[in-house]
Amino acid sequence: MQKPYYPKNMWQQFVWYLKSDWGDYMRTFAVTAAVVLVTVLPSQSSPSTQPLPNAPTSIGGVNHFHTWQWLLLACAAIYFVGSWKSITMEARRRKYDPALALKYTGMFFKDYEGERKKATKVLIRFHEGKTKKWEDVPDRSEIDPILDIFDDLGFLLQGGQISDWVIYQYFSYWIHLYYQAAQGYVELRRMEDNTQWEHVPNLYDDMMKIQEYKNAQPREKLIWTHDEMIKALKDEFPPHP
């Protein structure tokens, strides 16, 4: 099976895993460190003191562990590797968990089909018409429900509830299309209220970064031309045969 061709920065992924389950990783490290210390310290007795009855002997200045100490160290190593792997696998599962994406695809493509159709018509009419200012579009609020969904996705992404990997898989095309078509409207509303759709621009930027990497092209070449954008909007609701 071919691996997903997503942008991968090993250091960023390592940090992401640490942040996602910081408590579990620290607990694993603490337990392992405690076992190692309890096992090793008896062998570090000072020459000026009498060794403990069960301490390992020293031959030629070299400490030799007893069998029980080697067993404890082996168990600690097995625990550390197994626990670390288990926590990482769980973090990875959450990173690719599609549950929230499936919920929002149901909203976007089914529950909001009427709203999406209205928003698409407004966008087509604006870009094909003579009006160049969003202030002059009386029904521009028809676009709001679509942007609200994208803002929710951006909010969930920022909070670590869903990953950019999952959002890209399910929504990248439509985030690109509707944000590019409605960017002027988003900027207008955010000039009036900076909290309006505050997560949408960053969500779009994240999707475009992945797209740049996957296509090995700069963003300028990935932006649709005016005609391409109009065609993509009209293709959202093709005529029935």
Side-chain angles (χ1 to χ4, degrees):
M1 180 176 178
Q2 185 178 3
K3 293 183 179 180
Y5 186 60
Y6 289 116
K8 292 188 176 182
N9 181 306
M10 298 305 295
W11 171 246
Q12 288 181 353
Q13 288 201 28
F14 178 72
V15 171
W16 188 91
Y17 285 131
L18 287 181
K19 289 172 62 178
S20 65
D21 274 309
W22 180 253
D24 289 337
Y25 281 119
M26 289 302 297
R27 182 164 52 252
T28 297
F29 180 79
V31 171
T32 305
V35 173
V36 171
L37 287 175
V38 169
T39 304
V40 173
L41 282 179
S43 66
Q44 304 299 320
S45 56
S46 172
S48 61
T49 60
Q50 294 295 325
L52 296 176
N54 294 326
T57 58
S58 178
I59 302 177
V62 180
N63 291 323
H64 294 269
F65 288 156
H66 289 300
T67 302
W68 68 269
Q69 289 175 298
W70 285 115
L71 288 175
L72 275 181
L73 290 175
C75 290
I78 293 172
Y79 167 77
F80 181 82
V81 173
S83 181
W84 191 281
K85 183 177 180 180
S86 176
I87 297 168
T88 301
M89 288 179 64
E90 175 61 19
R92 181 179 176 83
R93 184 198 64 78
R94 289 201 311 272
K95 189 170 188 177
Y96 290 93
D97 186 354
L100 283 173
L102 293 174
K103 173 184 176 181
Y104 276 91
T105 53
M107 292 173 57
F108 187 75
F109 294 107
K110 184 177 180 180
D111 300 340
Y112 279 54
E113 183 177 358
E115 287 81 356
R116 190 159 58 95
K117 190 170 185 177
K118 292 177 183 178
T120 304
K121 288 181 177 179
V122 172
L123 291 167
I124 293 173
R125 189 165 61 250
F126 174 78
H127 288 285
E128 285 190 328
K130 296 181 179 179
T131 302
K132 300 301 180 183
K133 294 183 179 181
W134 277 105
E135 296 92 326
D136 300 330
V137 180
D139 54 350
R140 58 185 180 273
S141 61
E142 298 283 8
I143 310 170
D144 292 10
I146 306 304
L147 296 173
D148 289 341
I149 289 180
F150 294 158
D151 194 56
D152 286 347
L153 289 172
F155 174 77
L156 294 170
L157 174 61
Q158 178 177 320
Q161 300 302 307
I162 191 172
S163 72
D164 51 355
W165 274 252
V166 174
I167 295 177
Y168 184 87
Q169 178 68 25
Y170 287 89
F171 283 102
S172 62
Y173 174 85
W174 290 275
I175 292 171
H176 184 175
L177 173 61
Y178 283 99
Y179 183 79
Q180 182 178 333
Q183 184 175 0
Y185 177 50
V186 174
E187 292 172 352
L188 172 65
R189 290 291 300 275
R190 285 183 52 74
M191 286 178 61
E192 300 169 351
D193 180 2
N194 195 45
T195 64
Q196 184 70 34
W197 302 316
E198 60 181 320
H199 305 289
V200 174
N202 287 337
L203 177 65
Y204 169 77
D205 185 57
D206 288 340
M207 295 300 101
M208 292 305 294
K209 286 178 180 177
I210 296 177
Q211 193 171 343
E212 287 177 291
Y213 185 91
K214 286 171 68 69
N215 290 278
Q217 291 182 342
R219 187 170 307 189
E220 293 75 17
K221 292 187 177 182
L222 299 173
I223 300 297
W224 282 318
T225 65
H226 180 270
D227 291 342
E228 289 172 339
M229 182 180 64
I230 294 295
K231 182 181 183 303
L233 288 168
K234 291 182 176 179
D235 286 345
E236 284 292 275
F237 297 95
H240 294 288

